[in-house]
Amino acid sequence: MDRLLHLHRTLDEVDPPRWRPPGSDATQLVRKVHQLRRVPLGELGPADLRTLISQQVALPHVLPLAVSLRLDEPMLDAYFHPGDLLLAAVSVPAAAWQPFPDLGARLRSAIQAVPDAAAADLPRGAAEELTRFVTRPASVL
C-alpha cells in the first residue's frame, strides 16, 4: 500500500484504533500528539512530523512523509535547529525502516550529499548519528 496516497486522511483513520482524548492531566506534548493525529497527513508540516517521529507515533505513515521532505532539503529546520527532522528520522529504531528499504536507501544518499560544513553545524553527537544511519547494513534498514 502506498501510504502517500492517503494524504487526505488522518492518522486516526489510517493507524487504528482512534485515540481517546488526552486526560485532563496530560502534558502539552501529549495534547499536541493527540491533536496531530486528527490532522490530514497532507497538512502535517515539518515540525509536526518531527514531533510525531520523535514520539514514535505511527511511524509507518509519517516516516515516508518526512523522507519525502528530507530528500530535497536534508538540513531543513523543522522547529529546533537545522536538520532536526532528519535527526529525528535517523534516530528511530532500525525496525521502523524495514518496511521501507528504498526510502532508507534514498535517505542514506541524501545524507551522504550533505556538505561537511552543514553537518559540522549540527548539535553535538548529531553528525555521529547520521554516520551510524549511513553505515548501517542495508539489511537493517
Side-chain angles (χ1 to χ4, degrees):
M1 171 175 86
D2 186 353
R3 288 168 177 83
L4 297 180
L5 293 177
H6 301 288
L7 295 177
H8 64 285
R9 298 180 69 196
T10 68
L11 287 174
D12 271 350
E13 294 172 319
V14 299
D15 183 50
R18 289 179 187 267
W19 288 12
R20 293 182 176 175
S24 60
D25 61 343
T27 65
Q28 186 63 26
L29 177 59
V30 169
R31 291 178 190 283
K32 178 68 173 177
V33 170
H34 278 257
Q35 173 194 10
L36 292 174
R37 287 189 54 88
R38 296 187 307 271
V39 174
L41 293 172
E43 295 177 20
L44 293 171
D48 302 329
L49 293 170
R50 187 206 49 79
T51 298
L52 291 166
I53 291 170
S54 295
Q55 297 303 305
Q56 298 187 16
V57 173
L59 292 176
H61 301 282
V62 296
L63 274 177
L65 293 171
V67 170
S68 68
L69 289 173
R70 296 296 35 88
L71 293 176
D72 292 334
E73 192 180 344
M75 300 308 288
L76 176 79
D77 183 343
Y79 188 73
F80 290 117
H81 55 77
D84 56 354
L85 178 55
L86 175 64
L87 290 169
V90 302
S91 297
V92 299
W97 288 99
Q98 288 177 346
F100 312 109
D102 57 327
L103 286 177
R106 291 172 60 203
L107 186 58
R108 182 183 288 137
S109 294
I111 292 168
Q112 289 172 322
V114 171
D116 290 339
D121 288 339
L122 293 171
R124 182 176 306 199
E128 292 81 10
E129 189 70 28
L130 295 178
T131 299
R132 273 193 292 279
F133 183 84
V134 168
T135 58
R136 272 187 202 157
S139 61
V140 176
L141 290 181

